[in-house]
Structures are given as structure tokens and as C-alpha cells.
Amino acid sequence: MQDVAKAAGVSLGTVSNVLNHPAKVSPVTAQRVREAIARLGFVRNDAARSLASGSNDSVGMVLADIENSLFIDMAHGAQEAARAAGLNLLLANTTCDMGLQDDYLDVFDQARVTGMLLAPMEDSSAGIARMRSHGRQIVLLNFSPKPGTCCSVLVNNEHVGYLAARHLIDTGRTRLAYVVAHDDYQPVRERRRGVRAAVEEAGARVTLEEIDSVGLTTAHGHLVGRDLAGRKPGDLPDGLVVVADELANGIIHELHTVAGIGVPDQVAVVGCENNRTAGSAAVPLTAVDLPGRAMGREAMRLLMDEVASGERHRHATVVLEPELIIRSSAPR
Amino acid sequence: MQDVAKAAGVSLGTVSNVLNHPAKVSPVTAQRVREAIARLGFVRNDAARSLASGSNDSVGMVLADIENSLFIDMAHGAQEAARAAGLNLLLANTTCDMGLQDDYLDVFDQARVTGMLLAPMEDSSAGIARMRSHGRQIVLLNFSPKPGTCCSVLVNNEHVGYLAARHLIDTGRTRLAYVVAHDDYQPVRERRRGVRAAVEEAGARVTLEEIDSVGLTTAHGHLVGRDLAGRKPGDLPDGLVVVADELANGIIHELHTVAGIGVPDQVAVVGCENNRTAGSAAVPLTAVDLPGRAMGREAMRLLMDEVASGERHRHATVVLEPELIIRSSAPR
DNA sequence: CTGTTAGCGCCTTCAC
DNA sequence: GTGAAGGCGCTAACAG
């Protein structure tokens, strides 16, 4: 920076000013400085900058599974909001590894980022507490925090289950099943409540069973589908609420394509995520859409609010509503 | 850090040593210091650290399209390799926006990262030159650099086209079409060469036409499919090499599901990416797989090699081979 | 509006 | 092993 100052024939402070407070510098001087910067290929050292200023214009986002389009949508939304606020969004992917997640939280903590966004798969109270004890702001996405520990943005997962089941009931299905696994995963339990609520609301004419799919992948879906296909016709559910889209696609494949059990004719299927793949499956999947993008935006907004209000900030939880997307696997 | 030193009853330098050169400190002292760190919740300021030491243990990866599973795979591969080397991989997504891409290059440049990985969609020579002129190491992924400007990891895209066309020819197809758009996109042109090579190799019995799909989305595929479905039977190609998987899925949907033109019976279709969605489509897509993970790993290796060898480094290009994955849309 | 100066928090010689 | 001192590159007062 000294070199730039010399080259432009000004003092070091002036160079700093054209970089950080352009209004304080006369246009011609500023221009001269900018030219010198360009000519010398000067790049301001951000480490020194944030050390001296104590501020930092990036926010870190830690994502449990970049493979999942919900998380990608959240990243998009957060990025939009960050850019609008003049901040850079840095991403880190943990592939559902809590050790890696902790490492990345620490990386961003050490980097003294302006704030952090965390979209985990499991309970991350420990990491959140650690960040907060260091005074670092963090907002949680898609996971309920311990009450009062941080801001969060959630989707109304109970309503996800409700919408899915309700759609099946409204279209005449009476023998429902909730296909599910990973009860340790928060949304899974919440969606169950919604499914049950819809079934109870419908009265005795509608029954509900629960099918354990063990896992959430397409392969697990194949297993469930095969199992279902082996049942006596009378024992077959006529409507499936499937907790994850991939799982649903697997089931449909086995049922419809392999075993010839018509979807949606004999069995209607509703997914609970509306992943990117939902629409292009063998039988396009009716699914409840999770508003990832809006979640990312809201999280960023909450974070900036927290950063701005300092001491007198109160944690908030924003709950966004899901929306049913009707496709062929469970038509209108 | 001063506080930690006081709490542990040692000097500041000792604390620094337990953090950076544990071997230089007696085990008991080190332990005492570590306890103090934990007790006080001390977090080392990375800005100060990299300012003082001049080093930095993160590498930045700039991705053009996090939506595309190839890029996600590259990120995975790079992350594995980075972790193995004790480095943190920071991700940035540009959504194919060159302005954003330049911004992120600058962000990482200013952060003085150890190195950068760039997977762009368009020619990025300017940005690369800028980074290199600042002495920052950068390796390019999935895009040929101007010769001698940086290291790069590519896939043999000509062979991608060749494998696709060759598979169709080997399974008896004789009227091929290459469905394509975005000729400005490097891989698109290279794949064409491979397709042509395979067709020429087969002699006069195999013909090739080219179909312009205008864009690469599912919607564009629908248009192409409709067009094709409207042709007289004799004019219909019996084998399609489609430059992008989404596009292929769109075509198949329109052909097979809507117009009742059997895939693969009447028309076989091969995709050129093997995206995450390829296997779960209406008709599971035969596609040429791009080895994203290995590309990410290789890129990281190249980067570290460059960082290690300093002055006497020579740029290298690693070309990875694609592999045909056979599914129903063009069976064996 | 410009130039000067005192740190930001840590790392790294260097004597002890 | 340990502790004291100088400096990394920049920002934010402050005095001209």
C-alpha cells in the first residue's frame, strides 16, 4: 500500500481512504490512486484489513448435504441476500459429518466472519453454544434450536405431513401409509404428527399404517416397493406419504415399473421434499415443496438483524409454510 | 492470547508455540496452556495469524453451477484431498455469473488463500491472468486454459462423444443425431468431434445429423422431442447423442411418454454427463459418466504440487477418461 | 481534504 | 524450554 501511495504521490492514509471512505478523497486524487492500484496490481490484504478494522465482510454457511437440492436452494437464497447487503457468502459442505461440521464452524469462527448460517442434519447444540460463547452470531436453518439459543428458520414440517396426507384423503384414498426412517431426524417426527392429524381429522373411514423403510435412499425404496408388491391386494395401502423423495422414487419404480401395480391408479404416492429430481422421475412425483430459497433469504435477514441490533437483539424463529405440488403420482 | 498466557502462568510466546510448534514445549506446560485455552474459550484470530505468518490454510474453490452434480462431485473430490493435506476447502457458487465469479476470485485473492480451484462455464482467461499476476496459484477444472497459463484437469470430451455414438452404432443404430446447443461451451464442441469420429469410423452405413436444441434444459428437450415426434417415421433418427442429461430427459419424456415413440425401441438415447438425475428418469438414461470426484482430487493434487515446487513448477494438464454407463434408454 | 501515528493479535527470531 | 521485542499490512483517529 506504501508503494501505491508513492506511485500516486500521496500518503498511505489517502490510499486507505480511497479504498474505504472514497467520499473523503477528492475525485482527481482518488482517480490517480486507483490508477496506481491498477498499474501495480495491488491487492489489499484482507487479513490485515480485518485485523485492523475488526470487521469482516464475509459470512460463512455450513451445509450438511450439498447433494440435497433443499440445501442448495438455501444457499442460493442466502447468497442473494448476502450480495444485496454487500457481503460475500462462503460455503462449506460437511457431507453430514459432525466432525467436519465442527471443524468448519471453527474455521469461520477463527476467520472472525460477520456471522454464520448453519443447516445441519443432527442436533448441533454443542457447536452452536461454542460459537455463541465466543460472541459469534449464528442462525440455524431447517432445525429447531434449543429454545432461546439462537435465531432459526424452519419449515412447518407438521404441515408438510398434513398437506401430503390431506391431499391423498381429499382425492379419495382411505388406506394410507407413512413410509419413514431415521426417526432421529427432526423433520421426520414432525411430519408424522401432521400425517396423523390429517388422518384423525378424516375420521374412521381412513386408516393409517406406518412402514419402516430403514433408510432414505432409492435402494431402500426398492425394498419397500418389493415388499408392498408382495402383499395381498386387500392389504395394499392406496395412498403413500413418503418422507423423502428419493425413497418415493424407489418405491414407485418397484411398484409401477417392475411389479405393474399402477401409480397412481392403485397406489398414489406423495413425497415430502420436492427435490430437484421429483419432477423428472418415471412417474412425476407429487410432493410437498420446501421453500429453500426463502429460507436462505430469511436466515440471512435474521443474521443481519442480529448483527445490527447487538445487545438488544432477541432471538427469533421464522417458520415458512410448505406448498403441495401436484404431479402424476398423486393427481388432483 | 495474553490472557491465556497469564492464566497458564507462561509467556505469550509459549502459548504461540503450543499452538504452532507443540514439540517445542514441555508436555505438562502444553497441557496447562491447552486447559487455559479451553477454560477461557480462546479462539485464535486467523487474520492476525495469517498476517504475521504470511501463510493460510484454506483453499478457495469457485464453482460455476452448484446445481450441476458434476460440480458437486468435483467439490467432494477436492474436499477429500484438501482435508488429507490439512487444508480447508471454502466453496463459492457463481450461478454462471461471470461478474460474481470475478468477485469471488478477488475475495479469495484478498484473503491470501493458499490456492484456488476454478470450475467455470465460460472462458475465464482474464480472471486467471489476474490471479496469476498477483502470484496466486490457480488450477482450472473442466475447461482448457490458454496454453501455459495454469494447471488444469479436464475430461476427454472428445471421447465422451465417441463413446456415446459408438455405443449406439455397436447396438445397431444407423441414423444418428447429435442434439446440441451452446456451441460457445467448450465441451459441446469437443464432444461433437468424438461423435463424428465414431460415425466416420463406421463408414457409409451410418448417417449423422445435428439437431439444434437452442438450450440445454428439460424444457428445451420437450421442444426437440415434440419436433421429432412430428417427423415422418422414415425421417426419425434411431439413435440420439444428447449433449446434456436434462435435455435428454426432456426429449425422452416427450417422445416416449407423450408421443408413444418407444425409447429405446424406436429411438435410443445417450446422455453425455451422467448427472445425478440420469438413473431415476422415466426411462433410466444411458449416459457417459464424467469422473467429477477424481477431477476434484487431481486438481487439488496439482495445486499442492504447484504450491510446493514454487519457482520450478511447470504447468500440467491432466485428462481423465469418461466411462459409459448403460441403462435402459440405450441398452446393450 | 491530506498526511502522521498508534495499534489490531499474532508469529518468529533471538538471547536467556 | 522460555520470555521479550519487532513487525506482518492495514485502518482509524487525529492534527495539519
Side-chain angles (χ1 to χ4, degrees):
Chain A
M1 214 155 112
Q2 194 63 263
D3 297 348
V4 174
K6 213 165 295 171
V10 299
S11 87
L12 197 158
T14 304
V15 177
S16 171
N17 275 335
V18 354
L19 252 27
N20 303 299
H21 309 283
K24 291 189 178 179
V25 180
S26 81
V28 298
T29 313
Q31 188 50 32
R32 202 145 36 91
V33 171
R34 266 189 282 271
E35 273 160 19
I37 289 179
R39 184 147 33 86
L40 301 185
F42 167 78
V43 178
R44 103 131 105 32
N45 184 323
D46 201 57
R49 174 180 142 90
S50 54
L51 181 57
S53 73
S55 76
N56 181 313
D57 47 14
S58 47
V59 342
M61 183 171 200
V62 179
L63 267 13
D65 182 16
I66 212 183
E67 201 79 34
N68 186 319
S69 62
L70 172 62
F71 289 77
I72 293 183
D73 286 339
M74 296 190 294
H76 274 147
Q79 165 126 291
E80 281 171 21
R83 301 288 305 172
L87 295 169
N88 304 108
L89 186 69
L90 264 23
L91 265 27
N93 178 220
T94 71
T95 58
C96 300
D97 172 338
M98 287 301 274
L100 241 185
Q101 176 173 306
D102 278 329
D103 285 356
Y104 273 120
L105 289 179
D106 290 338
V107 167
F108 287 136
D109 192 16
Q110 287 172 198
R112 301 290 193 272
V113 292
T114 292
M116 308 177 35
L117 267 29
L118 170 64
M121 275 305 213
E122 302 171 40
D123 181 279
S124 307
S125 316
I128 294 169
R130 185 157 31 96
M131 294 305 109
R132 295 213 59 84
S133 75
H134 301 161
R136 198 142 314 281
Q137 341 267 224
I138 182 168
V139 359
L140 195 55
L141 275 146
N142 202 36
F143 209 98
S144 297
K146 274 207 199 128
T149 56
C150 66
C151 283
S152 58
V153 178
L154 309 172
V155 358
N156 185 342
N157 267 309
E158 180 163 344
H159 201 53
V160 169
Y162 179 84
L163 281 179
R166 183 61 198 267
H167 174 65
L168 290 170
I169 295 168
D170 284 350
T171 53
R173 311 291 166 159
T174 57
R175 296 187 311 282
L176 304 199
Y178 180 43
V179 184
V180 66
H182 265 285
D183 239 74
D184 50 312
Y185 184 38
Q186 221 176 46
V188 165
R189 298 195 299 274
E190 298 171 353
R191 288 170 194 166
R192 172 183 294 123
R193 284 210 300 278
V195 171
R196 287 190 178 156
V199 169
E200 276 163 26
E201 195 179 283
R205 69 191 170 87
V206 177
T207 62
L208 175 68
E209 70 169 304
E210 186 159 318
I211 297 174
D212 180 4
S213 63
V214 183
L216 299 174
T217 69
T218 311
H220 290 110
H222 290 158
L223 261 34
V224 172
R226 213 162 304 159
D227 241 45
L228 246 24
R231 289 192 183 187
K232 284 177 295 191
D235 289 349
L236 204 62
D238 60 4
L240 260 37
V241 175
V242 184
V243 81
D245 290 0
E246 284 304 314
L247 186 62
N249 283 338
I251 296 175
I252 292 178
H253 175 80
E254 200 66 28
L255 238 41
H256 184 90
T257 313
V258 177
I261 296 179
V263 173
D265 299 343
Q266 292 172 263
V267 184
V269 179
V270 182
C272 287
E273 306 176 321
N274 196 33
N275 265 349
R276 212 68 90 231
T277 54
S280 56
V283 178
L285 189 68
T286 290
V288 181
D289 183 63
L290 310 179
R293 214 160 177 125
M295 291 170 74
R297 274 198 304 265
E298 281 302 306
M300 199 60 213
R301 197 180 59 70
L302 247 28
L303 181 61
M304 285 166 45
D305 186 80
E306 180 163 2
V307 170
S309 37
E311 280 307 296
R312 46 182 235 298
H313 165 83
R314 319 253 29 179
H315 292 315
T317 295
V318 173
V319 178
L320 264 23
E321 293 300 329
E323 185 188 352
L324 183 72
I325 307 291
I326 297 178
R327 301 200 186 84
S328 329
S329 75
R332 209 170 294 279
Chain B
M1 213 155 112
Q2 194 61 262
D3 297 348
V4 174
K6 212 165 295 170
V10 299
S11 89
L12 199 154
T14 304
V15 178
S16 172
N17 275 336
V18 355
L19 253 28
N20 303 299
H21 309 284
K24 291 190 178 178
V25 180
S26 80
V28 297
T29 313
Q31 188 51 32
R32 202 146 36 92
V33 171
R34 266 190 282 271
E35 272 161 19
I37 288 178
R39 185 148 33 87
L40 300 184
F42 167 77
V43 178
R44 125 140 69 51
N45 184 323
D46 201 58
R49 174 180 141 89
S50 54
L51 181 56
S53 74
S55 78
N56 182 311
D57 48 14
S58 46
V59 344
M61 183 172 199
V62 179
L63 267 12
D65 183 16
I66 211 183
E67 200 79 35
N68 186 319
S69 62
L70 172 63
F71 289 77
I72 293 182
D73 286 340
M74 295 191 294
H76 275 147
Q79 165 126 291
E80 281 172 21
R83 300 289 305 173
L87 295 169
N88 304 108
L89 186 69
L90 265 22
L91 266 26
N93 178 219
T94 71
T95 58
C96 300
D97 173 337
M98 287 301 274
L100 241 184
Q101 176 173 306
D102 278 329
D103 284 357
Y104 272 119
L105 289 179
D106 289 339
V107 166
F108 287 136
D109 191 16
Q110 287 173 195
R112 302 290 193 270
V113 291
T114 293
M116 308 179 33
L117 267 29
L118 171 64
M121 278 301 215
E122 302 171 41
D123 181 277
S124 307
S125 317
I128 293 168
R130 184 157 31 96
M131 293 305 108
R132 294 213 59 85
S133 75
H134 300 163
R136 198 142 313 282
Q137 341 269 226
I138 182 168
V139 0
L140 195 54
L141 276 145
N142 202 35
F143 209 98
S144 297
K146 274 208 199 125
T149 56
C150 64
C151 284
S152 58
V153 178
L154 309 173
V155 356
N156 185 342
N157 268 308
E158 180 163 345
H159 200 52
V160 169
Y162 179 84
L163 281 178
R166 183 62 198 266
H167 174 65
L168 290 170
I169 294 168
D170 284 349
T171 53
R173 311 291 165 158
T174 56
R175 296 187 311 282
L176 304 198
Y178 180 44
V179 184
V180 66
H182 266 286
D183 237 76
D184 51 312
Y185 185 37
Q186 220 175 46
V188 166
R189 297 195 300 273
E190 298 171 352
R191 288 170 194 167
R192 172 183 295 123
R193 282 210 302 277
V195 171
R196 287 190 178 155
V199 169
E200 276 163 27
E201 194 179 284
R205 68 191 171 89
V206 176
T207 62
L208 175 68
E209 70 169 305
E210 185 159 320
I211 297 174
D212 180 5
S213 64
V214 182
L216 299 175
T217 68
T218 310
H220 290 109
H222 291 159
L223 262 33
V224 172
R226 213 161 304 159
D227 243 43
L228 247 23
R231 289 192 184 187
K232 283 179 294 190
D235 290 349
L236 205 62
D238 60 5
L240 261 36
V241 175
V242 184
V243 80
D245 289 0
E246 283 304 315
L247 185 61
N249 283 338
I251 296 175
I252 292 179
H253 175 79
E254 200 66 29
L255 239 40
H256 184 90
T257 313
V258 176
I261 297 179
V263 173
D265 300 343
Q266 292 173 263
V267 184
V269 180
V270 182
C272 287
E273 307 177 318
N274 195 32
N275 264 349
R276 212 66 90 233
T277 55
S280 58
V283 178
L285 188 69
T286 289
V288 181
D289 182 63
L290 310 179
R293 212 157 177 130
M295 291 171 74
R297 275 197 305 264
E298 281 302 305
M300 198 60 213
R301 198 181 58 69
L302 248 26
L303 181 61
M304 283 166 45
D305 186 80
E306 179 162 2
V307 169
S309 39
E311 281 306 296
R312 49 181 232 300
H313 165 83
R314 318 251 33 176
H315 293 315
T317 295
V318 173
V319 179
L320 264 25
E321 292 300 328
E323 184 188 353
L324 182 72
I325 306 291
I326 297 179
R327 301 200 186 83
S328 328
S329 74
R332 209 171 295 278

